[in-house]
Amino acid sequence: MNSIISPTIYIISVLFLLSASQTTSSPIQQTSLIQCLFQHSIPLSTIYTPKNSSFSSVLVSRAQNPIFAEPAVPKPELIFTPLSESHVQAAVICSKELGIHMRVRSGGHDFEGVSYVSIIETPFIVLDLTYLRSISVNINDNSAWVQVGATLGELYYKIAEKSNVHGFPAGICTTLGVGGHITGGGYGILMRKYGLAADNVIDARIVDVNGRVLDRAAMGEDLFWAIRGGGGGSFGVILSWKIKLVAVPEIVTVFTITKTLDTKLLYRWQKVAYKLDENLFIRILMLVTNTSTTNERIITTSYQGVFLGGADKLVQVMQKRFPELGLTKKDCIKTSWIRSVLHINGFPVNSSLELLTQRNTSSASFKGKADFVREPIPEIALEELHKRLLEEDMPVIVWTPYGGMMGKIPEYETPFPQRKGTMFKFHYFTSLDAGGKNVPKHMNWIRSLYDYMTPYVSKFPRGAYVNYRDFDLGINKKGNTSVIQASVWGVKYFKGNFQRLVKVKTEVDPENFFRHEQSIPPLVLKR
Ligand SMILES: Cc1cc2nc3c(=O)[nH]c(=O)nc-3n(C[C@H](O)[C@H](O)[C@H](O)COP(=O)(O)OP(=O)(O)OC[C@H]3O[C@@H](n4cnc5c(N)ncnc54)[C@H](O)[C@@H]3O)c2cc1C
Ligand SMILES: *[C@@H]1O[C@H](CO)[C@@H](O)[C@H](O)[C@H]1NC(C)=O
Ligand SMILES: *[C@@H]1O[C@H](CO)[C@@H](O)[C@H](O)[C@H]1NC(C)=O
Ligand SMILES: *[C@@H]1O[C@H](CO)[C@@H](O)[C@H](O)[C@H]1NC(C)=O
Ligand SMILES: *[C@@H]1O[C@H](CO)[C@@H](O)[C@H](O)[C@H]1NC(C)=O
Ligand SMILES: *[C@@H]1O[C@H](CO)[C@@H](O)[C@H](O)[C@H]1NC(C)=O
């Protein structure tokens, strides 16, 4: 691959050329795999080949970025949906024995689709963990065991069923899979008080490359460290997490204040949001909408707040620290922690809690990127940002405040390194039109924005978030996962922790069985 062509452009163009090679399946390999699984007592009803009428619907059922489900994109030879831990063991043993490349999927939200698409090697199969989804909440010892195929919404729902003063600090979007999400870090509305989901894991069960099930004691502290933020698909198949439940008050106050663009206010938010009381989380959604009257495109900024406490206290805190937003008691909605999840997802707080357990898939393709900001962005750059937003069809920029607990956890405690000194995180997002139309145009827009932001965001290395996977940062080459090459994107995601991740990988999977375009490579490939 020509290094001047950026990976995603390359991928998108290759995807549409690859369709011809789809017919070159390897029936012999497929048959031997099915035989091997069968010998391990796997029910045939859990195995889908392209001949099964439901193959496509199973494939797209958890494909959350539709561009990677389009016909021209490489498809797996087989999808296997285990119903028990032993099925997962069999999948690893058989795939390894037969040398079949495997991708692992929990909730399917990977930004680049690596859990169900391989662009560096075909054929491949998908191990889809969607049916491993049991959740057992133990209020007496403030913990829960949750299987990886459960969604965050299901987890939140189950916790709330047992208690209204317990919660868990994970992501905002309720359809995220617990498997991929937690192993990549996992931030949400409770992050300023309790840190990431990965910071609140106390045990885990994983199938290693030899097909053994290991818990924390058996896997050892190095591997246990690596899977709490090192990103999915590199170390084994995680089966379940034991998480630490955290305390939330009975009464939580939420608000959303939407303003047309106000640069001064935005500048002020940058200076205060990360320093506020850690019970208060205020993020910004910045997007372009049409005014109903003149159909003119304008930028709106929604300040979405969740406060772990009552409205009186919140108004006091805001008057003291962030009066510029003009929050009054009228803006405040009294609710519970579980219903604050509905609010932050744009639903009225009195909506049915069953919404949290809906396993919807996204219908809109997207490209996303991340940045971390360590000093306020000057107003002049904010003005340019606005100009650029207006040039794009459906852009969104999410501003997520750090500080609080996020700044207290040492950089080396887990693989996720963006801690002390980070003021907030950017999520740049743009919608890609259906059918791959105008993809290059949207890609160019977001890449140009990313270039423009270079002077204003973290440097040496410029930080990235492995859960916002971005192939523009570089990808592994087929058959040559050199550490030097991988360190280009590796240090962006993990800073100094990348070296330790490589060390763990070298110990637990020296032959690189668990691999994808951005998996952690072993130091010296033993094959
Ligand atoms: C709409 C949307 C909203 C989001 N909101 C948030 C948010 O609020 N906070 C946040 O932190 N992130 C957010 N993300 C990012 C999200 O955390 C990551 O995409 C995460 O990896 C998704 O996990 P998954 O199981 O759904 O995805 P998958 O695509 O199934 O997996 C992601 C990666 O992990 C691997 N993997 C999956 N399961 C396992 C397993 N059991 N064992 C080992 N490896 C595994 C996959 O191979 C892949 O590499 C969002 C993403 C989207 C698309
Ligand atoms: C797929 O098709 C095969 C052969 O027709 C059948 O035996 C198997 O049960 C089917 N699998 C599923 C999951 O439907
Ligand atoms: C917004 O307005 C523009 C014209 O200014 C129009 O082209 C576009 O379709 C409108 N979008 C929506 C979502 O209404
Ligand atoms: C929620 O509250 C609004 C306004 O009070 C009301 O119109 C709506 O019917 C309520 N919805 C539900 C699901 O209770
Ligand atoms: C899921 O999709 C349905 C139908 O489109 C929609 O009504 C519902 O609000 C969606 N649920 C969530 C949680 O987004
Ligand atoms: C793998 O890539 C590295 C870095 O590009 C290169 O130095 C090395 O020679 C390559 N090895 C093989 C076996 O191709």
Side-chain angles (χ1 to χ4, degrees):
M1 180 175 125
N2 184 337
S3 61
I4 294 163
I5 302 174
S6 66
T8 312
I9 279 275
Y10 171 80
I11 287 151
I12 301 273
S13 39
V14 165
L15 289 184
F16 293 94
L17 296 173
L18 268 174
S19 43
S21 67
Q22 285 320 289
T23 47
T24 58
S25 60
S26 49
I28 295 165
Q29 233 186 9
Q30 195 184 75
T31 312
S32 5
L33 179 62
I34 294 172
Q35 266 165 11
C36 179
L37 290 172
F38 193 58
Q39 278 159 12
H40 283 81
S41 317
I42 304 301
L44 280 179
S45 62
T46 60
I47 300 168
Y48 301 82
T49 68
K51 289 204 183 93
N52 280 94
S53 54
S54 44
F55 178 82
S56 295
S57 63
V58 173
L59 183 63
V60 303
S61 65
R62 307 301 288 149
Q64 303 283 354
N65 197 350
I67 194 166
F68 298 116
E70 287 184 5
V73 176
K75 299 287 181 288
E77 295 283 295
L78 182 147
I79 306 170
F80 175 40
T81 58
L83 304 174
S84 69
E85 292 191 341
S86 68
H87 291 178
V88 178
Q89 293 177 276
V92 171
I93 291 166
C94 292
S95 303
K96 190 179 169 218
E97 218 170 83
L98 295 163
I100 293 173
H101 184 44
M102 184 174 88
R103 294 296 171 110
V104 183
R105 181 164 78 173
S106 289
H109 289 75
D110 193 284
F111 277 21
E112 302 281 11
V114 311
S115 53
Y116 51 97
V117 177
S118 167
I119 52 160
I120 48 175
E121 51 192 309
T122 50
F124 66 100
I125 65 161
V126 168
L127 183 66
D128 184 337
L129 301 164
T130 194
Y131 294 125
L132 292 186
R133 56 195 278 192
S134 79
I135 298 170
S136 99
V137 176
N138 185 343
I139 290 297
N140 295 330
D141 75 353
N142 299 317
S143 75
W145 272 104
V146 50
Q147 282 188 308
V148 288
T151 66
L152 286 187
E154 289 161 1
L155 173 61
Y156 296 158
Y157 185 94
K158 287 279 185 186
I159 295 170
E161 237 178 19
K162 290 245 170 115
S163 160
N164 59 357
V165 292
H166 287 75
F168 185 64
I172 288 170
C173 168
T174 55
T175 55
L176 298 180
V178 161
H181 177 66
I182 297 183
T183 200
Y187 77 86
I189 52 185
L190 296 174
M191 65 189 283
R192 302 194 63 248
K193 183 150 174 108
Y194 295 111
L196 303 176
D199 299 328
N200 291 278
V201 168
I202 44 189
D203 203 338
R205 290 170 69 77
I206 187 171
V207 173
D208 77 356
V209 69
N210 298 312
R212 294 175 303 177
V213 176
L214 308 174
D215 66 3
R216 177 176 182 170
M219 78 178 85
E221 288 304 301
D222 277 341
L223 180 54
F224 185 62
W225 172 85
I227 59 173
R228 283 173 300 146
S234 290
F235 301 102
V237 183
I238 299 155
L239 297 165
S240 56
W241 302 103
K242 185 181 187 185
I243 58 171
K244 186 169 71 192
L245 303 182
V246 300
V248 292
E250 252 173 83
I251 292 171
V252 168
T253 307
V254 299
F255 63 87
T256 294
I257 296 182
T258 300
K259 306 236 176 204
T260 52
L261 185 60
D262 178 343
T263 306
K264 291 244 170 334
L265 186 61
L266 210 49
Y267 188 74
R268 182 70 195 148
W269 176 92
Q270 297 189 73
K271 294 211 139 178
V272 297
Y274 77 103
K275 285 197 278 198
L276 291 171
D277 182 331
E278 49 185 52
N279 291 306
L280 178 53
F281 172 87
I282 308 176
R283 72 165 183 174
I284 303 174
L285 294 186
M286 188 180 220
L287 40 96
V288 177
T289 53
N290 282 2
T291 56
S292 49
T293 43
T294 60
N295 212 23
E296 186 189 4
R297 279 162 58 84
I298 54 163
I299 294 171
T300 61
T301 46
S302 289
Y303 292 77
Q304 292 185 314
V306 177
F307 180 62
L308 302 174
D312 291 330
K313 180 78 197 298
L314 171 61
V315 171
Q316 252 176 37
V317 171
M318 289 295 281
Q319 268 163 8
K320 187 149 166 258
R321 302 299 312 278
F322 193 18
E324 297 84 351
L325 189 60
L327 181 92
T328 67
K329 199 121 182 249
K330 272 209 305 247
D331 301 309
C332 297
I333 302 167
K334 177 178 157 181
T335 188
S336 57
W337 173 73
I338 190 70
R339 291 189 176 277
S340 75
V341 178
L342 289 170
H343 177 84
I344 200 102
N345 278 290
F347 294 105
V349 293
N350 66 348
S351 314
S352 160
L353 286 180
E354 311 298 323
L355 275 176
L356 300 174
T357 61
Q358 288 177 346
R359 296 191 150 218
N360 290 9
T361 45
S362 162
S363 53
S365 298
F366 65 90
K367 170 70 186 170
K369 298 169 89 70
D371 256 326
F372 295 90
V373 180
R374 302 176 66 87
E375 45 191 87
I377 295 171
E379 287 185 37
I380 181 142
L382 296 177
E383 305 281 356
E384 171 68 18
L385 191 64
H386 307 148
K387 212 183 103 222
R388 285 171 177 260
L389 276 168
L390 288 170
E391 286 164 4
E392 177 63 340
D393 296 346
M394 288 175 71
V396 183
I397 300 184
V398 187
W399 309 52
T400 302
Y402 271 52
M405 183 56 98
M406 288 303 291
K408 290 177 196 153
I409 297 171
E411 196 169 305
Y412 300 99
E413 188 129 319
T414 68
F416 180 91
Q418 314 295 341
R419 303 283 188 173
K420 199 171 168 205
T422 299
M423 295 167 63
F424 62 95
K425 174 166 87 50
F426 271 130
H427 174 194
Y428 315 111
F429 170 100
T430 193
S431 292
L432 305 176
D433 307 322
K437 206 165 59 92
N438 293 330
V439 166
K441 179 185 135 197
H442 300 302
M443 289 290 183
N444 287 344
W445 178 82
I446 201 166
R447 288 182 183 136
S448 161
L449 174 69
Y450 190 77
D451 285 347
Y452 174 75
M453 295 305 288
T454 309
Y456 307 113
V457 298
S458 63
K459 300 176 185 66
F460 316 119
R462 182 175 189 168
Y465 177 34
V466 72
N467 261 351
Y468 285 9
R469 194 184 300 291
D470 183 359
F471 282 176
D472 291 352
L473 306 175
I475 58 170
N476 294 328
K477 284 187 185 172
K478 178 180 177 164
N480 182 4
T481 50
S482 115
V483 170
I484 295 170
Q485 218 161 20
S487 68
V488 173
W489 49 262
V491 298
K492 291 185 169 140
Y493 290 139
F494 308 112
K495 291 194 187 174
N497 296 328
F498 178 67
Q499 293 310 323
R500 184 169 173 200
L501 289 171
V502 169
K503 190 168 157 274
V504 175
K505 172 74 178 184
T506 310
E507 278 159 21
V508 304
D509 184 20
E511 289 176 17
N512 204 25
F513 172 72
F514 296 107
R515 64 184 182 272
H516 55 70
E517 289 78 5
Q518 276 188 350
S519 56
I520 306 289
L523 197 52
V524 181
L525 192 57
K526 291 195 192 126
R527 225 188 237 153

